[in-house]
Amino acid sequence: MSPAAELRPSDRAPGLLLGEGVELPDDVELGGHVIVHAGTRVGAGARLQDGCVVGKPVVLHASSAAGGGDPPGPAEIGAGATVGAGAVVVAGARIGERSVVADQAHVRERTEIGDESIVGRGASVENDVRVGSRVRMQTGSYVTAWSVVEDDVFIAPCAMFTNDPTAGRRTAGIELRGPVLRHGCRIGAGAVLLPGVEIGPDAFVGAGAVVTRDVPPGALVVGVPARVVSE
Amino acid sequence: MSPAAELRPSDRAPGLLLGEGVELPDDVELGGHVIVHAGTRVGAGARLQDGCVVGKPVVLHASSAAGGGDPPGPAEIGAGATVGAGAVVVAGARIGERSVVADQAHVRERTEIGDESIVGRGASVENDVRVGSRVRMQTGSYVTAWSVVEDDVFIAPCAMFTNDPTAGRRTAGIELRGPVLRHGCRIGAGAVLLPGVEIGPDAFVGAGAVVTRDVPPGALVVGVPARVVSE
Amino acid sequence: MSPAAELRPSDRAPGLLLGEGVELPDDVELGGHVIVHAGTRVGAGARLQDGCVVGKPVVLHASSAAGGGDPPGPAEIGAGATVGAGAVVVAGARIGERSVVADQAHVRERTEIGDESIVGRGASVENDVRVGSRVRMQTGSYVTAWSVVEDDVFIAPCAMFTNDPTAGRRTAGIELRGPVLRHGCRIGAGAVLLPGVEIGPDAFVGAGAVVTRDVPPGALVVGVPARVVSE
C-alpha cells in the first residue's frame, strides 16, 4: 500500500492528514499541514506544529546499516511533548513527556528519548539511540545510531558523533558502536566523537575537540586529538 | 487558541493557510502549501516558497535560555525578500528588503536581518541576533543567540558560533554572550567561535579554526586553538 | 508567472500539487502534501515522500555565485529512486536510479547523482556537482558547488567542502573550485576540505581533519592541518 493511500484529510485542522488508527486526544494543538501516519500514539496536550511528519514509515535503502533491528512499531509522542515545524519523527521512535523535537529536527526508528529533553532545531538523532531525561541536544547536533546518552547530558550546537571505525567498509563481525555519554557530561560545539568512545560523568569536551579515546569522569579535554587539561 | 484555529485556507494559492490580519500584497509570489501566521507583514514583491512557515508563534521549552527578551511581535518580511522552500521564520523576526532566507533555513524571534543579506540553505540564526546588510551566512552555518554580525560579513558554510561558556550550567549572573563580527570580516567553513569573541573588521578566520580569543582587525587566524599568522 | 500559478491540486494523493507536464508513472509512491513542479520527470517505481518539493524553479539572489551555468532544465528522478520527507530537489538536478535523497536533504540545479547513491538526511549537494554511483553522503554532509565525487566514495556525517579561496571576495579570473574525490576514497565525520583539493583513490581523511593540500592515493591523513600518517 502506498503511504498516501493510508492518509486521509481530517477536519480537525487545516491540511491535516491522518493514517489509520491514530490516537490524537482532543487537546492536542495542531499546526497546519501536519501529517500523522497510521498507528501513531500522541499523548494529551502535545503540540504538532506546522508541516511536521510523525510516524513516517521506515523505508530503508538496500545498503543501509540501519536494517538490523526489529521492525519498528508506531511512533509515540508523550503527553505535553512538542514536535516542531517541519520536523520528522519516524515510526518506532518514542518521545518522552514534555520533550521537544524542535523545528526541522529528525528522530529515527527505535530511538527512545526520555522526559523533558530537547532535540534542537535541525538536529538529528539516528536509529536505535537511547536518550535519557533532561538532555539537551542543541541546534544542528548529530547523534549517530546506537549512541547512549544518559540523563542531564548537554550537547552543544553542531556536535557530531560517529559509529563506524571503517567509514563505510565494515565486514562481518565489525559492529557499529556509537559513543556512550554518561550522566551530566557536556559536549562542546562542533566537537567530534569517534566511534564507541565513552565520555565519563560530568566530563566536559571543549568546543571543536576531536575525541579519539575515552574521557575520564569529570575531566576537561580540548584539542585535536583531544587531550586532558584538567581532571 | 490552537495555532491551527487561527489558520484559514486561502484561495490565493494552492494549500495556502493564513492567520488573522496578515499583510500580503497582491504581487507576492506564493509557492504551494505556504503557511503565514497571524499579524505577519509581508512586503511588496516578496516570495514565499513551497511549504515555508512565516510568523510561527513562539512556544518556549521551560528550560530554554531564550525566554528573557520581550514578547515578539509579528514577523516582517521586507519588500523583495525571499523565504525559501521549507524555511521557518518565527514571529518577531525581521527580514530586510531583498534578503533571502534560503530553503530549509531558520530565523528566530527578535532577530533582525538587514537588506540584501542571505541566510543560506539550512542555516540557522537564533533569537536576538543583529545582522547587518549584505551579509552572507552560507549553507548550514549556525549563528547563535545574541550574536552581532555587522555589514558585509561573510560566514562560510557550516561555521558555528557559541554563546554559553558553561555549556548549559549557567547560574545567576552569567549571561549568554554571542560572538561579535565586525564589518567585512570573514569566517571560514566549519570554524568554531567561542562565546563572546570579537572578530575585528576585515579579519579572516581560516576554515576549521577554533577561535578562543578576540581576533585583531585585518588579522588572519588558523588552527586549533586559532593563532594569528598574519596581521 | 507565479510558482503557485503553475501548481494544481491532483486527486492522486492528498495534498499533491502538480505543475504542467509532469511525468509521474502510476506506480510512483506518493506521500502527503508533495509538490512536483512543471516539467519534472519521475521514473517508474520512485517514491516521493511527505512534503517533499521536486523541481523547484531556480531563483538566484543577485550576488549568488551559482549563476554562471546554463539555465537548468527540469528535475529528473530516476526509476526506483526516493525523495524523502521535506527534501528539496531543485530544477535541473538529476537523481540516478534507486538513489535516495533522504529526509530534509537538498540537491541543487545542474547537479547529477549516479545510481544507488545516497544523499543523507539533511545533507546538501550544491549546484553543478558530479556525483558517481554507490556514493554515500551521510547525514548533514555538505558538498559544495563544482565538486566532483567519483564512484564508491564515502562521505561521513557532517563533512564539509569549500570552493572559494577568497571566502567571498573573488575578483575577475578567480574561479570557484570544489574538491575532487577520487574513486573509493573516504572522508571522516566533520572533516573540512579546502577549495580544489584532490583526495586520491582509496585515501582516508580522518574525522575532524582540515585538508589543505592534495591527499595521495591510499593515504591516511589526520589533524589540523591534515598530515599523512600512513600511505
Side-chain angles (χ1 to χ4, degrees), chain A residues 2-4 7 15 17 33 35 37 53 56 59 61 63 86-88 104-106 122-124 126 142 160 162 166-169 192 194 210 224, chain C residues 13-14 29-33 47 49-50 85 98 100 103-104 116-118 121 136 139 154 157-158 160 184 186 189-190 202 204 207-208 223-224:
Chain A
S2 158
L7 292 171
L17 302 180
H33 296 318
I35 299 178
H37 284 275
V53 175
K56 185 197 145 176
V59 183
H61 191 261
S63 75
V88 176
Q104 302 165 325
H106 198 273
S124 169
E126 297 272 22
Y142 173 66
M160 328 158 199
T162 67
T166 71
R169 294 201 183 173
V192 180
L194 267 68
V210 176
V224 184
Chain C
E29 272 189 26
L30 294 162
H33 296 318
R47 295 185 184 94
Q49 299 188 323
D50 303 327
R98 297 176 302 287
V100 175
D103 296 349
Q104 302 164 326
E116 299 180 24
S117 288
I118 300 178
R121 176 270 158 193
R136 285 166 290 170
T139 299
F154 180 90
C158 309
M160 328 159 200
R186 294 173 284 171
D202 292 312
F204 192 161
V224 183

Side-chain angles (χ1 to χ4, degrees), chain A residues 96-161:
Chain A
E97 299 191 1
R98 297 175 302 285
S99 284
V100 176
V101 178
D103 296 348
Q104 302 165 325
H106 198 273
V107 180
R108 283 187 61 181
E109 64 271 20
R110 289 183 306 274
T111 282
E112 297 189 20
I113 293 176
D115 296 339
E116 298 180 25
S117 289
I118 300 177
V119 182
R121 175 268 158 193
S124 169
V125 187
E126 297 272 22
N127 53 287
D128 297 281
V129 175
R130 294 291 162 274
V131 177
S133 293
R134 299 171 305 280
V135 170
R136 286 167 287 170
M137 295 170 279
Q138 303 286 66
T139 299
S141 55
Y142 173 66
V143 176
T144 192
W146 290 283
S147 296
V148 174
V149 181
E150 294 187 351
D151 293 346
D152 298 300
V153 165
F154 180 90
I155 301 172
C158 309
M160 328 158 199
F161 298 2

Side-chain angles (χ1 to χ4, degrees), chain B residues 83-128:
Chain B
V83 179
V88 176
V89 176
V90 173
R94 295 173 60 180
I95 309 298
E97 299 191 0
R98 296 176 302 286
S99 284
V100 176
V101 177
D103 296 348
Q104 301 165 327
H106 197 273
V107 180
R108 282 187 62 183
E109 62 271 20
R110 291 183 304 275
T111 281
E112 297 189 21
I113 293 177
D115 296 338
E116 299 180 25
S117 288
I118 300 177
V119 181
R121 177 267 158 195
S124 169
V125 187
E126 297 274 23
N127 53 288
D128 296 280

